[in-house]
Amino acid sequence: MTTSLAPPVGIGKAAIGALCLLAIATGALESVLTPTLPMLQRELALSPAQGALLSTALLISGALLLPVSGTLGDRFGGRRVMTRLMTVVLAGGLVSSLAPSLPVLLAGQILQGAMVGAMPLSFILVRKYLPPGSAHAAIGVVSGMFVGGNLVGSMISGPIAEGLSRHWMFAIPTLAIAVATVLVHRLIPDDPPARSDARIDWPGLVLMSAALLTLMLVLPMVPEAGRRPLEFAALVLLLAGLVIGWIRVERRSAAPMVDLRLLARPGMWSSYAITFAVCLGTAASMYLVPQLFAVPADSYGFGASASDMGLYLLPSAVAAAVSGPIAGFAARRFGARTAVAAGIAGTMATLAALALLHGEVWQLVIGKMLISLASGICVTAVVVKTATTGDGGGTGTATSLILVTRVIGFTAGAQLGGILLTAMTPSGADVPDESAFIIGFGIASAVTALALLAVRTLDKGEEQ
């Protein structure tokens, strides 16, 4: 049961600033590992497999926690849950900064995964304390700051690790999170729960977490399905059983973790379909473009070094950071549906262009930048649409599921790119055929185009 909430007090620019600072700090802590992973592998004597495990630990724990944090925020209040969640993140940052070995660092990364729950909780607070027009813009800005934080973390982690030590690259963002959490606690009033059924659906929670974890294990195994058919089939059957069991439990629960009636609304399922398709296409390009940069110059590539690649990809990172605020203002001015459609069209057209035009560095740089901008506008506009629909009682649940869908889409897109390049690399060769990139960009464009079919249902079934 949901109740309409219209608090008498609002929040000012200082409170929004605190949420933005928290978004930047958590985004920075999330991204410090990626550019420094080779250094960590050398210092801790990690194998490539152990390095891969370390790089995905935060992503997996975050994906498991996202729906939980949003639902708990709806039921117990966004600020209250956020404060407790950031306590877990601070513990994770402290453990990571002091970690002497892989097991301890893994534990820290798993705890840090709680940070991804800050985004749906921020949306809950913005929705409750700002009028609809201002909420559209604020949600876009906060979303952009999370992406901007990723950019900050990627830029500062290397210099900090080399100039000070790997310990400080975790410690500095953690200190910033502590400051931001104190500011959020002081500047944002305690919000009463938007839902009266403040109970935890433990069977639904366990089954949903197990299903998401199994899915995250299935996706990386897709390229090896032919070599390990029994393991792959067993995981797929396990995933199907968990999903069926979760649906049955949620349909019978008096206070389900996820209200399946919410997902059945045309405007909601279309949001998830659009997010998955656009993120899959975007992730395929995120994988393919750096691989194309790295192809030797005496072939059809550019032989880019790691430093060159960072420079080439910087414009796309900036575009991703500004896409959030642009999407928020566009959704307010023209409507979320228009912003979503424009983002899909821009992503689809740019991917199709890259399939034909990828022989010069500037073509890839501009193409990757336009994809980041267009897809960022699209996905953020979907989040804005989802967060501002209805009476606000399910804001955390609905938006957290959008973010989970984004993680799944990105994972599937990266796997698609990897499968194509592996399948189209001639036996004994180190470089795939150029046609692999052409086909990859073409498939990514076609999948993104399918999202246009769901745009027209975005406005259906809304609660006014």
Side-chain angles (χ1 to χ4, degrees):
M1 179 179 178
T2 61
T3 57
S4 230
L5 183 63
V9 217
I11 55 176
K13 292 181 180 179
I16 296 297
L19 289 175
C20 288
L21 176 60
L22 184 63
I24 293 172
T26 53
L29 184 58
E30 180 183 17
S31 61
V32 295
L33 188 65
T34 302
T36 57
L37 187 59
M39 183 196 72
L40 287 173
Q41 289 181 232
R42 290 193 302 270
E43 289 194 6
L44 298 176
L46 306 181
S47 67
Q50 290 173 323
L53 176 62
L54 182 61
S55 67
T56 58
L58 187 149
L59 180 67
I60 292 174
S61 65
L64 294 178
L65 187 65
L66 258 173
V68 181
S69 64
T71 301
L72 294 180
D74 286 333
R75 294 185 179 183
F76 299 104
R79 195 196 71 164
R80 183 183 307 176
V81 176
M82 179 179 285
T83 302
R84 286 158 176 73
L85 205 61
M86 289 304 104
T87 302
V88 178
V89 175
L90 291 173
L94 180 62
V95 170
S96 295
S97 64
L98 298 175
S101 61
L102 175 63
V104 180
L105 187 53
L106 272 175
Q109 292 298 293
I110 291 171
L111 292 174
Q112 283 177 217
M115 71 177 66
V116 298
M119 189 179 288
L121 295 172
S122 297
F123 298 156
I124 291 173
L125 295 171
V126 168
R127 178 73 195 278
K128 285 182 178 179
Y129 289 113
L130 289 179
S134 299
H136 282 73
I139 289 172
V141 170
V142 173
S143 299
M145 292 305 101
F146 275 98
V147 181
N150 274 269
L151 174 60
V152 170
S154 298
M155 293 176 64
I156 68 172
S157 58
I160 290 175
E162 292 172 355
L164 298 173
S165 72
R166 63 178 173 85
H167 304 286
W168 282 103
M169 75 179 187
F170 294 109
I172 291 175
T174 300
L175 291 173
I177 290 175
V179 172
T181 302
V182 171
L183 291 175
V184 167
H185 183 76
R186 291 177 62 89
L187 296 174
I188 297 180
D190 194 17
D191 55 313
R195 299 178 61 170
S196 59
D197 51 349
R199 292 177 293 168
I200 298 178
D201 172 26
W202 290 110
L205 172 60
V206 171
L207 285 170
M208 179 176 62
S209 299
L212 284 172
L213 179 59
T214 305
L215 177 62
M216 298 300 288
L217 294 174
V218 166
L219 289 175
M221 281 191 65
V222 172
E224 301 180 359
R227 295 195 297 269
R228 304 163 63 185
L230 294 180
E231 294 178 45
F232 182 74
L235 280 175
V236 170
L237 289 175
L238 175 61
L239 176 61
L242 289 170
V243 170
I244 293 172
W246 174 71
I247 291 174
R248 289 181 175 176
V249 166
E250 296 299 89
R251 290 180 65 181
R252 296 174 182 175
S253 175
M257 180 60 66
V258 177
D259 189 347
L260 297 180
R261 293 172 299 177
L262 176 70
L263 304 185
R265 298 175 190 166
M268 293 306 301
W269 67 254
S270 59
S271 296
Y272 300 122
I274 290 169
T275 301
F276 178 78
V278 171
C279 288
L280 189 150
T282 302
S285 72
M286 289 174 63
Y287 179 85
L288 292 173
V289 169
Q291 296 293 325
L292 188 50
F293 276 136
V295 171
D298 58 2
S299 184
Y300 55 85
F302 308 97
S305 66
S307 298
D308 292 335
M309 211 171 298
L311 182 62
Y312 294 156
L313 296 178
L314 180 60
S316 66
V318 175
V322 302
S323 66
I326 291 174
F329 288 113
R332 179 180 181 182
R333 177 67 178 84
F334 305 106
R337 180 175 170 179
T338 301
V340 170
I344 294 172
T347 306
M348 173 190 68
T350 308
L351 285 166
L354 282 180
L356 303 174
L357 303 171
H358 53 262
E360 302 288 341
V361 167
W362 67 266
Q363 293 171 342
L364 291 174
V365 170
I366 293 178
K368 184 67 175 66
M369 180 183 68
L370 292 176
I371 289 170
S372 295
L373 180 64
S375 64
I377 289 174
C378 172
V379 175
T380 304
V382 169
V383 171
V384 170
K385 178 75 172 175
T386 304
T388 56
T389 296
D391 60 8
T395 298
T397 302
T399 55
S400 62
L401 290 176
I402 288 285
L403 300 176
V404 170
T405 305
R406 184 168 67 174
V407 170
I408 295 172
F410 273 122
T411 306
Q415 292 301 319
L416 171 64
I419 291 170
L420 279 172
L421 296 191
T422 301
M424 302 189 71
T425 299
S427 178
D430 297 325
V431 178
D433 289 333
E434 185 178 2
S435 58
F437 293 95
I438 297 173
I439 293 172
F441 288 127
I443 292 176
S445 179
V447 171
T448 303
L450 293 175
L452 288 172
L453 301 176
V455 171
R456 61 187 180 86
T457 63
L458 270 177
D459 294 326
K460 292 185 178 181
E462 291 184 5
E463 293 180 9
Q464 303 297 334

